[in-house]
Amino acid sequence: MAGAGVDALVLRPSPDFRFLGGREGPYLVVTGDAVAETAEPARLVPEGARRVGVDPEMRVRELFGLAVEAELVPASAVLAPLRLRKEPYEIEAVARAVAAAEGVLGQARELAWFGAGERTMARRLRLLLVESGCEEVLSLRVAAGEHTARPAHPPGERVINPGDALLVSVCGRWDGYCAEVARVFAVAEPPEDFEAMYSVVTAAHRAGLSVMRPGVPVAAVSRAVGEVIDGSGYGRFAAAHAGRGIGLGHDEGPRPGEDTVLAAGMTFCLEPAIYVPDLFGARVADVVVCTDGGPLALGTSPHSLTVLDR
Amino acid sequence: MAGAGVDALVLRPSPDFRFLGGREGPYLVVTGDAVAETAEPARLVPEGARRVGVDPEMRVRELFGLAVEAELVPASAVLAPLRLRKEPYEIEAVARAVAAAEGVLGQARELAWFGAGERTMARRLRLLLVESGCEEVLSLRVAAGEHTARPAHPPGERVINPGDALLVSVCGRWDGYCAEVARVFAVAEPPEDFEAMYSVVTAAHRAGLSVMRPGVPVAAVSRAVGEVIDGSGYGRFAAAHAGRGIGLGHDEGPRPGEDTVLAAGMTFCLEPAIYVPDLFGARVADVVVCTDGGPLALGTSPHSLTVLDR
C-alpha cells in the first residue's frame, strides 16, 4: 500500500473484498498492520491517513456516507495488479464457472425460441443459470434481429422470428469466480450476408487467441483482432475493445487499453464483436487462460454458427 | 434541480434512472432543459456546471472515470423527495412484487429443510424467486439457530436441525418494483424462550403498523416499535431501525431517521427485529402502504410462528 501512497483500504463485499478474505462485512478495513471486518470503517482508518483506497464496487451512496477524512482513491491501484495472475486453484475455479456457463448455453439451444420474446427467453436463461449454481447473474443478453447490432441491448418484447440472427450471452459468478460465454445462433436460417460477417468475428477471435502468450503486451491481442476486422471491411463496425480480464470480478485486468504484459495465470474474456447498426451484429466470447504453453481456451463449445430448427 | 443547487444529473441504470424513464443507458444526463441517454456523460454536462448530482447506485470505479469537472453530490437530494409518494400504478406494481415474494415464502414452507445446509436452501429459494419472475435478487437470507442473531449473516454451511429457529427473507425486483418479506420458522419445535421473544417482534410490528397514517412523522413508527421492544426487556437487542421505504429501490425513503412526514402513497418495508447474540433472533418484514384510510399491509401471510414438520 505504501508503494501506491495509500494509508488504508476500505472494502465492502466485492471481488476485492473476497480477494482479501472478507467474509461478512459490511466493511473490510486494511491498514499497514491489520485487516478487520467492521460496521464502522471510519473508526479503523488510522488518524492522519491522507489517502484511502475505496472499493471500486462501492456505491456512491456508501461513499458519501463513509465519513473518512482523507483523499479517496480507488483501491484498484493497490489490488488490481495483485489480482492479475491467478493461482492454479483460481484457474480451476474459473474453469468450473466456464463449464457451468457453457452448460447453460448448451441447454439454451434446446429451448423453443420461435415466436417467443427476448425477455421471455432471458427469463428462461436466468432460470437455467440459477439451476446451474450461479450465485449472481452479472449480465444476460438475448438480442434478436436488428437488436444484435446493439452492444448493450436489454432483452425486450421483440419476438424471435425465422430468419433472425440471435445473440445470446451469459455472464455470472459461480463459487466466487466469474465466466462469460457469448454465442450466435441463426433462427431457421441466417439473414443475408450474416454468415460472411460472422466468419470475420470468429476469424478475429482465432487471431486474438493466437497471440495470447506470456511476454506479449495485452494490446497486441486487440491489434490482432482489429487487423482481421479492418481487413474485412467491417472495421468501422468493430466493438471498441476485444475483451477484458475475468476472475473474481467479471470485468478486471488485464485490459487491452493498459500497458499490461501477458503472463502465465492471467484469465481473459476474449470477445471480438462487429455491430452493423440497424442490421445485425455478432460477438463471440470465451474465457482464455494464458499459460507458459500458450493460450488455452477454457470453453470447449465450437464457434460454428448454430442454426436453430424451426 | 435549481432548488437543490444542482446543474445536472448523471444517472446509470438504477431506480433513479428508471424513475426518469431511462431505457438503455449507459448513462442518462438530465440538465435544466434536456434529458438524454448517452455513452459520454461528461459531454452533455453543461460547461461551467458547478454541482452535478450523480446516481447513488453508481460504482466508485464509474465515478472516478466520469471526468466531469464539478463538485459531485448524490442525485438523491433532487430525486429522493420526488420518489417518496407512489402513483397508484406504482403501488399496484409493488403489490404484485409483494405477492410474488410471498408466493416464494409460501413455497419455502414446503421445502425439505431438515438436514440441509443454509446455502443449499438459499439456492432453492433463489430458484423459486427466479421462477416467480424476479429480475434481480436483492437479498436472500437463510439463517438457522444462533445465526438468526446475526442481521447480515450470509447463508453458510450450517445444517438445519430440529429445535432450530429459522429466519428466512427474500428481497427482489419484479417488473421494476421491489418487495421484501421476512418470516420466522421453527424446525420441528422452537428453541426455549423463542416464542416469547418472537411474540415481542410481532407485537412491535403491529404497533409500528398502527401509527402509519398520513401526517404522522415516520420517526413515530420507530418509536412505536421501540416502545414495545423496550417494554419487553429486549430493548438492547433491538435492530437499529424499524424499516425503510421501498419501491423502485429496495432501500429508499422514507427512512425512520429522517424528518419525513408520512403521506398517502408512501410504501414502507416495516421490519422490526430482535437479535440476541449467539442465541437467536427474529425479524418480520412486510411492505405496507400508507393510505388516506390508514396503513395497508400489502402482504397477506400471517405472522404466527410456523413450525415446519420434521
Side-chain angles (χ1 to χ4, degrees):
Chain A
M1 292 198 302
V6 164
D7 305 303
L9 300 176
V10 177
L11 308 173
R12 40 80 87 207
S14 73
D16 279 341
F17 176 93
R18 291 193 292 276
F19 180 71
L20 291 178
R23 293 188 60 80
E24 296 224 350
Y27 292 97
L28 186 75
V29 175
V30 183
T31 58
D33 50 11
V35 178
E37 298 199 33
T38 176
E40 297 176 87
R43 294 181 55 178
L44 295 191
V45 170
E47 225 171 299
R50 288 198 188 170
R51 298 180 87 211
V52 171
V54 288
D55 200 311
E57 295 298 311
M58 192 179 287
R59 310 278 185 171
V60 156
R61 65 181 151 80
E62 291 175 272
L63 186 76
F64 283 104
L66 267 190
V68 169
E69 298 276 348
E71 183 191 355
L72 301 179
V73 298
S76 339
V78 177
L79 296 174
L82 306 179
R83 282 175 44 197
L84 278 174
R85 293 181 67 165
K86 273 70 177 173
E87 301 289 334
Y89 79 89
E90 294 188 279
I91 292 168
E92 283 166 24
V94 173
R96 283 194 299 271
V98 168
E102 279 209 314
V104 168
L105 271 196
Q107 289 172 279
R109 288 185 201 152
E110 310 305 321
L111 297 177
W113 293 85
F114 287 69
E118 292 169 344
R119 192 173 297 155
T120 301
M121 297 312 293
R123 283 204 185 120
R124 290 181 187 158
L125 287 172
R126 185 175 292 267
L127 206 55
L128 293 175
L129 282 168
V130 173
E131 281 173 348
S132 78
C134 179
E135 298 157 344
E136 192 181 359
V137 178
L138 295 158
S139 110
L140 182 50
R141 304 270 178 221
V142 173
E146 69 287 356
H147 289 173
T148 56
R150 301 185 190 175
H153 174 71
E157 297 305 327
R158 188 187 187 288
V159 170
I160 297 158
N161 294 313
D164 280 342
L166 196 61
L167 183 47
V168 179
S169 77
V170 296
C171 180
R173 189 155 50 80
W174 288 262
D175 284 335
Y177 285 82
C178 301
E180 175 159 342
V181 180
R183 287 289 183 274
V184 170
F185 304 132
V187 181
E189 52 177 341
E192 207 179 331
D193 299 329
F194 185 79
E195 285 177 285
M197 184 276 290
Y198 180 68
S199 70
V200 175
V201 175
T202 57
H205 198 285
R206 285 193 300 277
L209 187 64
S210 73
V211 299
M212 288 195 66
R213 45 190 72 248
V216 171
V218 66
V221 178
S222 284
R223 273 200 304 276
V225 164
E227 277 166 15
V228 170
I229 299 180
D230 288 348
S232 74
Y234 280 103
R236 68 194 180 98
F237 303 122
H241 67 98
R244 83 283 172 179
I246 193 164
L248 282 170
H250 70 294
D251 184 2
E252 57 182 48
R255 291 194 172 84
E258 294 171 355
D259 293 334
T260 314
V261 171
L262 292 173
M266 289 185 182
T267 43
F268 191 79
C269 179
L270 180 62
E271 48 171 349
I274 293 174
Y275 301 109
V276 187
D278 303 321
L279 194 57
F280 49 50
R283 179 167 69 97
V284 171
D286 270 316
V287 178
V288 178
V289 52
C290 183
T291 79
D292 286 324
L296 175 68
L298 294 179
T300 56
S301 68
H303 291 175
S304 49
L305 183 65
T306 299
V307 178
L308 302 169
D309 290 331
R310 188 191 268 272
Chain B
M1 293 198 302
V6 164
D7 305 303
L9 300 176
V10 177
L11 307 173
R12 39 82 85 206
S14 72
D16 279 341
F17 176 92
R18 289 193 293 277
F19 180 72
L20 291 177
R23 292 189 60 80
E24 297 225 347
Y27 292 97
L28 186 74
V29 176
V30 183
T31 58
D33 50 11
V35 178
E37 297 199 34
T38 175
E40 297 176 86
R43 294 183 54 179
L44 295 192
V45 170
E47 228 172 297
R50 287 197 187 171
R51 297 179 88 211
V52 171
V54 290
D55 199 311
E57 295 299 309
M58 192 178 287
R59 310 275 186 174
V60 156
R61 64 180 152 79
E62 292 174 271
L63 185 78
F64 284 104
L66 266 190
V68 169
E69 298 276 348
E71 183 192 355
L72 301 179
V73 297
S76 338
V78 178
L79 295 174
L82 305 178
R83 282 174 45 198
L84 278 175
R85 293 181 68 163
K86 273 69 178 174
E87 300 289 333
Y89 78 90
E90 294 187 280
I91 292 169
E92 283 167 22
V94 172
R96 282 193 298 272
V98 168
E102 278 211 314
V104 168
L105 271 197
Q107 290 173 279
R109 289 187 199 150
E110 310 304 320
L111 297 176
W113 293 87
F114 287 69
E118 291 169 345
R119 194 174 297 154
T120 301
M121 297 313 293
R123 283 203 187 119
R124 290 182 188 157
L125 286 173
R126 185 177 293 268
L127 205 57
L128 293 176
L129 282 168
V130 174
E131 281 173 348
S132 77
C134 179
E135 298 157 346
E136 191 181 358
V137 178
L138 295 158
S139 108
L140 183 49
R141 304 270 177 220
V142 173
E146 67 289 355
H147 289 173
T148 55
R150 302 186 189 174
H153 174 70
E157 298 306 327
R158 188 187 186 290
V159 170
I160 296 157
N161 294 312
D164 279 344
L166 197 60
L167 183 47
V168 178
S169 77
V170 296
C171 179
R173 188 154 51 79
W174 287 261
D175 284 334
Y177 285 81
C178 301
E180 174 160 345
V181 180
R183 287 290 182 273
V184 170
F185 303 133
V187 181
E189 53 177 339
E192 207 181 328
D193 299 329
F194 185 78
E195 286 177 283
M197 184 275 290
Y198 180 67
S199 71
V200 176
V201 175
T202 56
H205 199 286
R206 285 193 301 275
L209 186 64
S210 71
V211 299
M212 291 195 66
R213 47 190 73 247
V216 171
V218 66
V221 178
S222 284
R223 272 200 303 275
V225 163
E227 277 166 17
V228 170
I229 300 180
D230 288 348
S232 73
Y234 279 104
R236 68 195 182 98
F237 303 122
H241 67 97
R244 82 284 173 180
I246 193 164
L248 281 169
H250 70 295
D251 184 1
E252 57 183 47
R255 291 194 172 86
E258 294 171 353
D259 293 333
T260 313
V261 170
L262 292 173
M266 291 187 181
T267 43
F268 192 80
C269 179
L270 180 62
E271 47 171 351
I274 293 174
Y275 301 110
V276 187
D278 302 322
L279 193 58
F280 49 51
R283 179 166 68 98
V284 170
D286 270 315
V287 179
V288 178
V289 54
C290 183
T291 78
D292 285 323
L296 176 67
L298 294 179
T300 56
S301 67
H303 291 175
S304 49
L305 183 65
T306 300
V307 178
L308 302 169
D309 291 330
R310 188 190 265 275

